[in-house]
Amino acid sequence: MSEQTEQSQRRVVVVGAGMAGVQTAVALREQGFTGTVTLIGAEPHQPYDRPPLSKAVLLGKAEGSAFDVDFEALGIALELGREVLGVRPAEHELDTECGPVPYDVLVLATGAEPIRLPGAEGVPGVHLLRTLDDAERLRPVLARQHDIVVVGAGWIGAEFATAAREAGCAVTVVEAAERPLAGALPAEVAAPMSSWYADAGAELRTHARVERVRPGEVLLDDGTRLPADAVVVGIGARPATVWLAGSGIELGAHGEVVADDRLRTSAPDVYAVGDCASFPSGRYSERLLVHHWDNALQGPRTVAANIIGETPAVYDPVPYFWSEQFGRFVQYVGHHTSADTVLWRGDPSGPAWTVCWLRENRLVALLAVGRPRDLAQGRRLIEAGPELDPELLADPSRPLKAATV
């Protein structure tokens, strides 16, 4: 049997119809894969992009955010509204509610699911914001300009609070930590962002733990009662991998699928990509679990190349994400935990500033607020790794690239 004939008879099944799953299926076709490609999604909707959910869809400026992909023309079979139950790697079979699905290669792209607030499930008026249905349920809440309590001052909490204020709602954000974005950024970097809430007319309460949620109110552990026509929970997400229990596929400390540098799992012919998987970064000398859109866009190209197998590819990206909140465009690139120096470009109380993280005078990460040129140049400097002059780097009037030694 020729290599071409053998490839045309291979069956690739992709579980998860979000960005990572869709891009894997598309990348396989773009890179010349001729076998069958089946994309299985738990939701009944046509596959869609998530970032607009917390912005345009939520505010009624868009009906949805379906991917502009002609699946039929690409020969990608869609199986939507189909729950996966488990996988048996030894048999090369995926178990679904509609029966088993055989595969030659399986790609896990199930993403992440929001962490629920203990004790709040089933209480009327409590919402999550992860799916199109979530956004559709929240849209009329914003339209009625209700009093809204947001639990969690992370990226999603800030983006939702931004949309709710834009809609004219009274917004209180409660955060258990002492500052917003406590899990994502160091204290000195997140501190200037606290004032953004008040500037936008939202109230931010830090050191505030939710004791109980009742219909119409949120009770904090210090006895404070906050009126709440609606409660939106944004306290993080975890990899959607519960269904893999008993499969033998290795999971990490956060419940994520442990993938290697080619995004292969511990099971033969099974790959994992996007929010549900961690991978070893040679660039940063540690395992990364990246819950951001760009990772779900970039990883599939590596998966497709390795499935086809002509030129095996290693996955070692410079992580990137962005967030629009309270009239500011925030971008982050790299990974800052190994840095030995932090430099500021510009005044953090102003509308535009940048933070640079260096290790041995080489840029490893950068956060830009309203300075997209810094982000673009910083990304290239992280990838290339030249030595930089810290004094030149800290001058916001000079381009970043001018700091190269």
Side-chain angles (χ1 to χ4, degrees), residues 26-368:
V26 170
L28 281 164
R29 292 301 188 220
E30 286 179 342
Q31 294 181 32
F33 182 74
T34 56
T36 64
V37 178
T38 303
L39 185 62
I40 298 177
E43 294 181 56
H45 311 289
Q46 279 291 303
Y48 61 87
D49 204 5
R50 292 190 191 279
L53 297 184
S54 61
K55 306 170 187 75
V57 176
L58 195 57
L59 291 169
K61 296 176 181 177
E63 283 305 311
S65 54
F67 291 114
D68 185 18
V69 174
D70 189 336
F71 294 99
E72 192 175 347
L74 289 170
I76 297 167
L78 287 182
E79 298 274 354
L80 302 176
R82 190 168 186 177
E83 198 77 37
V84 291
L85 305 175
V87 60
R88 288 170 286 119
E91 288 83 25
H92 278 58
E93 279 195 337
L94 182 73
D95 289 318
T96 78
E97 59 186 0
C98 307
V101 177
Y103 66 83
D104 295 306
V105 179
L106 180 65
V107 181
L108 308 177
T110 45
E113 55 196 6
I115 296 171
R116 296 174 184 274
L117 185 64
E121 286 190 64
V123 177
V126 176
H127 300 263
L128 299 167
L129 180 52
R130 182 72 184 178
T131 68
L132 181 58
D133 289 340
D134 292 338
E136 295 291 356
R137 279 190 288 268
L138 276 163
R139 190 192 290 189
V141 174
L142 266 59
R144 289 194 291 268
Q145 299 188 331
H146 278 168
D147 288 343
I148 294 177
V149 172
V150 180
V151 183
W155 301 112
I156 279 288
E159 289 183 5
F160 178 81
T162 299
R165 284 300 300 140
E166 194 176 321
C169 300
V171 178
T172 302
V173 180
V174 297
E175 169 58 53
E178 73 279 4
R179 62 184 188 277
L181 296 167
L185 296 172
E188 70 272 20
V189 176
M193 299 175 177
S194 295
S195 63
W196 297 358
Y197 289 78
D199 292 348
E203 182 184 359
L204 172 64
R205 287 174 170 259
T206 55
H207 297 286
R209 291 189 174 276
V210 175
E211 180 75 28
R212 193 177 304 119
V213 178
R214 298 178 180 140
E217 72 171 9
V218 173
L219 178 65
L220 302 182
D221 64 356
D222 65 358
T224 304
R225 296 176 186 274
L226 301 174
D229 297 309
V231 178
V232 177
V233 179
I235 55 175
R238 60 166 66 95
T241 56
V242 172
W243 67 282
L244 291 170
S247 67
I249 293 173
E250 185 186 352
L251 301 181
H254 302 284
E256 85 282 8
V257 180
V258 174
D260 68 6
D261 61 359
R262 294 185 186 176
L263 299 180
R264 299 172 297 196
T265 74
S266 62
D269 304 315
V270 181
Y271 292 79
V273 65
D275 289 6
C276 72
S278 66
F279 56 90
S281 168
R283 188 188 307 277
Y284 292 105
S285 303
E286 64 179 282
R287 179 165 285 276
L288 301 182
L289 175 59
V290 181
H291 279 194
H292 293 297
W293 186 90
D294 193 63
N295 179 48
L297 176 68
Q298 305 295 341
R301 295 167 193 162
T302 299
V303 170
N306 289 325
I307 288 172
I308 293 167
E310 289 168 11
T311 50
V314 166
Y315 190 57
D316 195 8
V318 175
Y320 166 74
F321 73 89
W322 81 98
S323 176
E324 294 176 66
Q325 48 184 272
F326 308 117
R328 293 165 175 85
F329 189 42
V330 183
Q331 294 173 284
Y332 176 96
V333 65
H335 186 64
H336 66 262
T337 56
S338 64
D340 53 35
T341 306
V342 180
L343 288 177
W344 293 75
R345 286 167 58 82
D347 180 1
S349 65
W353 45 275
T354 296
V355 180
C356 300
W357 285 271
L358 304 177
R359 185 177 66 231
E360 297 173 353
N361 287 340
R362 287 177 168 78
L363 193 65
V364 293
L366 179 145
L367 176 94

